[in-house]
Amino acid sequence: AVVYVDDTLLVVDKPSGLLAVPGRGADKQDCLSARVQARYTDALIVHRLDMATSGLMVMARGTAAQRALSMAFAARAVTKRYVAMVAGRVEAPAQDGGMPDDWGSIDLPLIVDWPNRPRRIVDHLSGKPSLTRWRVLGHDEAGLNTRVELEPVTGRSHQLRVHLRELGHPILGDALYAPPDVQALSGRLLLHAQSLRFAHPLTGAALAFESAVPF
């Protein structure tokens, strides 16, 4: 669904299970970018979401806008917030003052696991710096699983999924990184790109978009 459109950019809400861009093979050509380009022929990819992840994505209209938005992502001038349900009871990170809404951080370098692509692994020698900020939003009724808010400061592939697994709390329904019992708790990956904030590349106006979490 298109959330916002002007002459410079589009913001779209991607459902879980839909590729962001075409994959290899005739059966992987249906994707978000192709659907958007059928309506807006100048739409170009700026960043991606995993197929299993739902939520907000920005697309540029034309190469100048694509270049400007890509530079904004590279400069970390785009604030992205996600919501996930993770296995286990996560408590708020210990902070000075002990405020319940405090943020913690996961700082672990990531690299592609070549024999097991597309999986990523933590590699302290060769991995690219990867930083995720997180905080606890609440727990499910039984208190067994935890809803967390996530801010990827860097934008590595599978960053949130690997970082949460390394924290000891994989995302429910994660077919790549969660053990079978955690995978089985949901028919989809419970990870949603909830909000995007950035400056309009043409006007400089502050833009903010929100998408309701579907789980």
Side-chain angles (χ1 to χ4, degrees):
V2 175
V3 176
Y4 173 86
V5 60
D6 64 21
D7 291 340
T8 306
L9 61 92
L10 295 132
V11 177
V12 291
D13 203 337
K14 188 184 87 66
S16 175
L18 180 67
L19 287 165
V21 297
R24 291 199 182 111
D27 60 330
K28 295 185 173 67
Q29 297 310 295
D30 180 35
C31 60
L32 183 76
S33 62
R35 292 183 185 186
V36 172
Q37 286 159 356
R39 280 180 65 189
Y40 303 95
T41 54
D42 58 352
L44 297 169
I45 282 288
V46 175
H47 67 120
R48 305 178 185 192
L49 292 177
D50 292 347
M51 180 176 177
T53 304
S54 56
L56 297 173
M57 261 178 65
V58 184
M59 292 184 73
R61 300 193 68 183
T63 54
Q66 184 188 41
R67 190 162 51 247
L69 286 165
S70 296
M71 287 171 63
F73 273 90
R76 301 180 189 173
V78 179
T79 301
K80 298 170 284 183
R81 292 278 176 88
Y82 292 70
V83 171
M85 282 293 292
V86 302
R89 187 175 180 89
V90 186
E91 301 300 339
Q95 299 275 351
D96 292 341
M99 295 297 287
D101 60 351
D102 275 336
W103 290 79
S105 64
I106 307 166
D107 187 357
L108 293 169
L110 301 177
I111 193 171
V112 67
D113 184 5
W114 281 104
N116 299 298
R117 286 173 303 191
R119 289 169 57 92
R120 264 64 180 174
I121 53 173
V122 173
D123 187 323
H124 290 281
L125 290 177
S126 307
K128 293 181 177 178
S130 306
L131 178 63
T132 300
R133 299 178 69 237
W134 65 275
R135 66 172 181 154
V136 172
L137 294 176
H139 302 92
D140 61 10
E141 289 182 11
L144 299 176
N145 301 306
T146 307
R147 184 177 291 262
V148 292
E149 185 174 7
L150 305 160
E151 182 185 331
V153 179
T154 52
R156 311 293 177 205
S157 290
H158 299 181
Q159 174 177 318
L160 299 177
R161 298 163 73 171
V162 179
H163 275 178
L164 286 165
R165 186 199 61 187
E166 292 296 317
L167 196 66
H169 300 280
I171 301 175
L172 272 55
D174 191 339
L176 279 179
Y177 298 104
D181 58 325
V182 176
Q183 285 184 40
L185 291 174
S186 173
R188 59 154 289 187
L189 176 74
L190 296 188
L191 178 62
H192 182 74
Q194 180 190 35
S195 76
L196 278 173
R197 296 173 187 273
F198 57 95
H200 193 286
L202 197 62
T203 67
L207 298 178
F209 302 98
E210 301 276 335
S211 169
V213 180
F215 50 81

